[in-house]
Amino acid sequence: MKKDLFVLACFCLASCSSSAQDERPEEKGDYYKNPVVNYSLPDPSVIQGDDGYYYLYATENIRNLPIHRSKNLVDWEFVGTAFTESTRPSFEPEGGLWAPDINKIGNLYVLYYSMSVWGGEWTCGIGCATADKPEGPFTDHGKMFRSNEINVQNSIDPFYIEEGGKKYLFWGSFSGIYAIELSDNGLALQKDAVPQQIAGTAYEGTYIHKKNGYYYLFASIGTCCEGLKSTYTTVVGRSESLLGPYVNKSGASMMNNKHEILIQKNNTFVGAGHNSEIVIDKIGDDWMFYHAVSTKNPEGRVLMMDRVEWKDGWPVVSGGSPSTTSNKPVF
């Protein structure tokens, strides 16, 4: 679920980066520290703009859906919000904007978003908005569907992908992960398209990455939003086909809630989940953002980043849990 009780009581529009944190002298320049942003930016989605910046979008603990940018994935600055009070989506009038997914389709930046109230699992839904630039302003195109219209409970957490000349939206939260084909412009469902279940009821926060002939379905299990009691964990399965079946290393199906664990809690961070797209740096290393709760400062879900390595055809994060200090990406 994407609602967070955290309120950002003292937020300024200044740059926020790990370089502002205390670092041991030998770490300066070559290392970064988690969290890379030390205030709540849950459910991140990231894209590189035509201007060379990476743009990151997150669930709206900052109202109207915050946008940050960075040249190096470590030093992030707030650049505004996707919407204003007057342009804000309204198909769920009291709802929050959760779990954005940013993409470039043709010449437009297309932002898919969830809109829901806490507990509104049959009235929540997914909408989309477009902009000419990644920083916006975004024009809302409104609701694509609600849970009760598509008969999929808790229809949140959208993820877009293109394959074989077709466009697909994946979504779902603890009532199954589903996929459906989209129209040519990606702004509506394809006529007569029907949802297809891809994974079981343990998951939310879908992201799919294609590598070396496999599709890797990343997702989150557990509870996201209970502070230090959060059990969020990042998991993964893989398939030779976009629409599955997705399996773990033993061949057991994600339809039966079987998977491999990628990132779980440690003594410093708990609730590690809802990962972003994988970003590749200058030397070909893969990097992934996600959120977690700091055991030292458990207010909100802070922005984390870790390198993803590949061993025997499977993604691995060092130690299987969030890092505190690591080598920086190379740009």
Side-chain angles (χ1 to χ4, degrees), residues 91-157:
F91 70 82
E92 183 78 336
E94 302 300 321
L97 296 168
W98 300 350
D101 179 60
I102 187 67
N103 304 271
K104 193 170 187 186
I105 304 176
N107 294 322
L108 291 176
Y109 290 90
V110 179
L111 184 69
Y112 299 96
Y113 60 83
S114 318
M115 201 168 199
S116 183
V117 296
W118 188 255
E121 296 188 357
W122 283 109
T123 58
C124 64
I126 291 170
C128 62
T130 58
D132 295 325
K133 300 180 295 184
E135 66 269 35
F138 280 84
T139 299
D140 184 38
H141 294 265
K143 176 192 67 174
M144 299 175 73
F145 56 86
R146 288 182 187 264
S147 298
N148 55 13
E149 295 169 349
I150 205 163
N151 200 32
V152 175
Q153 187 176 0
N154 214 13
S155 285
I156 60 173
D157 293 5

Side-chain angles (χ1 to χ4, degrees), residues 162-312:
E162 298 182 18
E163 181 63 23
K166 296 182 178 181
K167 299 175 172 64
Y168 295 91
L169 192 74
F170 286 70
W171 80 97
S173 174
F174 303 129
S175 295
I177 300 300
Y178 288 80
I180 197 166
E181 189 177 346
L182 298 181
S183 60
D184 290 342
N185 64 7
L187 303 182
L189 302 184
Q190 185 68 273
K191 184 180 179 181
D192 299 326
V194 295
Q196 177 178 337
Q197 188 172 354
I198 302 300
T201 57
Y203 310 112
E204 66 174 10
T206 304
Y207 164 62
I208 297 173
H209 181 71
K210 187 177 182 181
K211 185 179 179 70
N212 295 335
Y214 285 101
Y215 300 85
Y216 294 85
L217 191 157
F218 297 83
S220 297
I221 61 172
T223 58
C224 69
C225 310
E226 298 182 355
L228 294 178
K229 295 181 180 179
S230 298
T231 60
Y232 233 25
T233 299
T234 306
V235 301
V236 65
R238 75 180 188 183
S239 173
E240 294 180 353
S241 168
L242 175 64
L243 298 178
Y246 287 88
V247 299
N248 66 7
K249 291 179 180 179
S250 300
S253 176
M254 290 185 79
M255 286 288 286
N256 296 319
N257 298 326
K258 303 299 182 182
H259 47 256
E260 300 296 324
I261 292 177
L262 182 67
I263 311 172
Q264 58 188 332
K265 70 177 183 179
N266 57 28
N267 291 333
T268 308
F269 298 102
V270 302
H274 203 119
N275 61 278
S276 73
E277 300 84 349
I278 286 175
V279 178
I280 304 174
D281 71 8
K282 185 177 179 180
I283 62 172
D285 285 342
D286 290 338
W287 299 87
M288 177 182 287
F289 294 94
Y290 58 99
H291 71 242
V293 177
S294 169
T295 59
K296 294 181 180 179
N297 180 22
E299 292 297 318
R301 295 173 284 167
V302 292
L303 183 68
M304 309 286 291
M305 180 178 71
D306 271 301
R307 181 184 170 196
V308 178
E309 301 177 86
W310 299 87
K311 296 182 179 179
D312 300 322

